[in-house]
Amino acid sequence: MNPYKKFSLGLLIAIIMSQIIPVTWLYLYDPLQLYHKPYFRETTFSYDMRVQNKGIIKHYDFNSYIVGTSMVEHIPIDTINAITQQKWVNIMMYGSSFDERAIILQYLFTIRKPKNIIYSLDHFSLIKPTAQPRNFAFLYDSNEFDDIKLYFNQKYMFCAFLWSQKEKCVGVSKPLATLNPDIALAESLGKKFGGFEKWVQYEDNRIHDALEWLRNFKGEDYPDTSTLKQITSHLDIELSKEYVHQYVLSFVSQNPQTHFDFIIPPYSRLHWRIQKPDDYAYWQQVIKWFVTIIAQYPNATLYGFDDMEYMDYINNYMDLTHYNVDMHKYFTQAIATQTHIVTPENIDAYLDTMEQKIRTYNLAPLIEILTKQDSLKSKNPNTDMEK
């Protein structure tokens, strides 16, 4: 072989090996378990469930799944397992819209036949439906060869080179039943439970807009029922219907072997009091439509809790929407006892009760606390208030 051909062959081999070795090393390391369970290290999971769910669904033996946002983050797995005699796992994704969840559900139903799905019916996807391209979607398509490109970045290349077991590289070593952190105990968030005084003391971006709304409140009455009905008469919810049909109801209709338990997240009264009446009226219309649709499916149930007193007490919330972990126990109890079910027969009474509670919600004690604390801050500007 002449020197030129020998050099060219050597260069070609070097180029090929420079690609094969890193890809093989990343495949073996596989921190998110896209291809296999961990080799030569502890089993760990990332909190970024948009990318972690692939490995959970593919490699772990569960037959029931919790799908949604942080609104169903803390459903107690041991309890729901005992109640249903099934094997549950929580694959919720923070802030996930229905179209994002559909990517996961499509993959789930392709390789599994789940018996049960618990699904949070979050209001933002109902009143502002927006399907967008998702940068993690390629992980859940039929081509697994390109999944490895998720690791082609400085972070994962460096982690793989060191075979690091640090949390920032491979996630945490926790049983899947306890993967989600407990917000009631988390120092950064849990400190705001216990009363509105805590909100004012630990004002942050989660509640700043709500406090500003209260600071600027001029005593305006909430619209009466006739006004809300007038608003409702002019609403067009067709976009929401199409969105929900495509990304939610299609799974219900195509998978009669799976039972879907839909949960209306019970946000605080203050949340709904602050919301624009148009948004609330729109949400009402979509919920009324949704309950009539799922009544046609024997494999779907809708649960609602907004007629409870729990939502009246701000000490149960760390912001306008995130309730304490005890609310998740109500979810499991309702599923176990078949209570709090919303049907076409009781939806009007349910919404009437909710609407009345929103209308009569007393803002005065909150404004009094806020005014007092703001006054103290202005008099003592150097007071060390946590943010």
Side-chain angles (χ1 to χ4, degrees), residues 56-311:
I56 294 173
I57 294 169
K58 183 177 181 181
H59 301 299
Y60 294 88
D61 185 24
F62 297 98
N63 63 15
S64 298
Y65 297 80
I66 300 170
V67 180
T69 62
S70 53
M71 298 295 101
V72 288
E73 182 176 6
H74 303 292
I75 290 178
I77 296 297
D78 289 345
T79 302
I80 199 70
N81 283 346
I83 287 170
T84 62
Q85 295 298 299
Q86 306 298 335
K87 294 179 66 177
W88 287 83
V89 65
N90 196 330
I91 58 172
M92 73 89 207
M93 302 178 294
Y94 291 117
S96 60
S97 58
F98 296 167
D99 58 290
E100 286 185 283
R101 300 177 214 175
I103 296 168
I104 308 298
L105 287 175
Q106 187 63 51
Y107 179 76
L108 173 62
F109 281 104
T110 299
I111 68 171
R112 304 278 184 187
K113 295 298 180 185
K115 292 185 176 181
N116 303 280
I117 300 284
I118 291 176
Y119 193 102
S120 65
L121 209 63
D122 302 76
H123 84 295
F124 65 86
S125 272
L126 292 175
I127 67 176
K128 296 180 181 178
T130 53
Q132 305 173 26
R134 305 295 176 177
N135 60 10
F136 65 90
F138 72 95
L139 295 175
Y140 299 92
D141 61 21
S142 58
N143 179 17
E144 292 201 341
F145 292 104
D146 66 348
D147 292 357
I148 197 75
K149 70 183 183 183
L150 181 69
Y151 298 145
F152 287 168
N153 55 62
Q154 184 176 2
K155 170 188 171 181
Y156 283 122
M157 295 287 283
F158 184 73
C159 289
F161 177 76
L162 298 176
W163 204 267
S164 174
Q165 298 192 46
K166 292 183 178 180
E167 181 178 332
K168 66 179 181 181
C169 292
V170 297
V172 295
S173 177
K174 273 188 172 185
L176 279 170
T178 59
L179 179 59
N180 298 322
D182 192 333
I183 58 172
L185 301 178
E187 181 181 353
S188 61
L189 300 177
K191 63 189 179 184
K192 289 190 292 183
F193 286 111
F196 191 68
E197 293 86 353
K198 300 289 187 68
W199 284 32
V200 179
Q201 182 179 1
Y202 300 114
E203 181 176 348
D204 60 14
N205 290 335
R206 287 173 174 265
I207 55 176
H208 175 74
D209 289 347
L211 298 189
E212 283 299 295
W213 186 91
L214 288 169
R215 288 182 177 110
N216 296 310
F217 181 69
K218 304 301 182 184
E220 301 90 343
D221 290 334
Y222 194 76
D224 57 26
T225 301
S226 62
T227 302
L228 285 176
K229 286 183 177 178
Q230 186 177 7
I231 294 172
T232 300
S233 66
H234 297 292
L235 293 175
D236 180 2
I237 64 170
E238 287 305 312
L239 186 62
S240 291
K241 288 182 180 181
E242 293 173 10
Y243 179 81
V244 173
H245 266 299
Q246 180 175 355
Y247 296 112
V248 182
L249 293 174
S250 60
F251 294 102
V252 179
S253 62
Q254 294 168 16
N255 299 279
Q257 79 285 348
T258 303
H259 190 88
F260 290 78
D261 289 313
F262 292 100
I263 293 177
I264 302 173
Y267 308 128
S268 69
R269 299 285 182 238
L270 182 59
H271 163 81
W272 287 116
R273 183 64 177 83
I274 288 175
Q275 285 283 306
K276 295 177 181 178
D278 290 32
D279 287 345
Y280 177 66
Y282 189 100
W283 175 84
Q284 276 195 334
Q285 285 300 97
V286 177
I287 288 293
K288 290 177 75 170
W289 165 79
F290 185 83
V291 74
T292 60
I293 294 298
I294 67 162
Q296 304 170 23
Y297 298 105
N299 62 322
T301 306
L302 178 64
Y303 295 89
F305 303 86
D306 288 293
D307 52 356
M308 295 174 59
E309 292 184 357
Y310 185 100
M311 291 85 239

Side-chain angles (χ1 to χ4, degrees), residues 327-383:
M327 190 68 230
H328 295 77
K329 297 176 183 177
Y330 286 109
F331 299 161
T332 56
Q333 290 170 4
I335 293 171
T337 58
Q338 289 293 281
T339 52
H340 293 281
I341 295 175
V342 183
T343 67
E345 291 73 31
N346 67 17
I347 182 63
D348 287 333
Y350 176 86
L351 292 175
D352 287 347
T353 299
M354 179 181 176
E355 183 181 316
Q356 182 63 21
K357 286 180 174 292
I358 295 169
R359 182 175 292 110
T360 58
Y361 185 67
N362 188 6
L363 298 172
L366 307 183
I367 294 172
E368 182 180 351
I369 292 169
L370 182 59
T371 302
K372 181 178 179 181
Q373 291 297 324
D374 283 349
S375 177
L376 289 174
K377 290 179 186 178
S378 65
K379 292 178 180 178
N380 301 282
N382 296 323
T383 300

Side-chain angles (χ1 to χ4, degrees), residues 30 32-37 45 49 51-60 107 112 140 176:
D30 193 15
L32 296 169
Q33 304 180 57
L34 300 179
Y35 296 100
H36 54 77
K37 290 184 179 181
F45 299 95
M49 301 300 282
V51 293
Q52 182 61 83
N53 279 334
K54 171 72 176 283
I56 294 173
I57 294 169
K58 183 177 181 181
H59 301 299
Y60 294 88
Y107 179 76
R112 304 278 184 187
Y140 299 92
L176 279 170

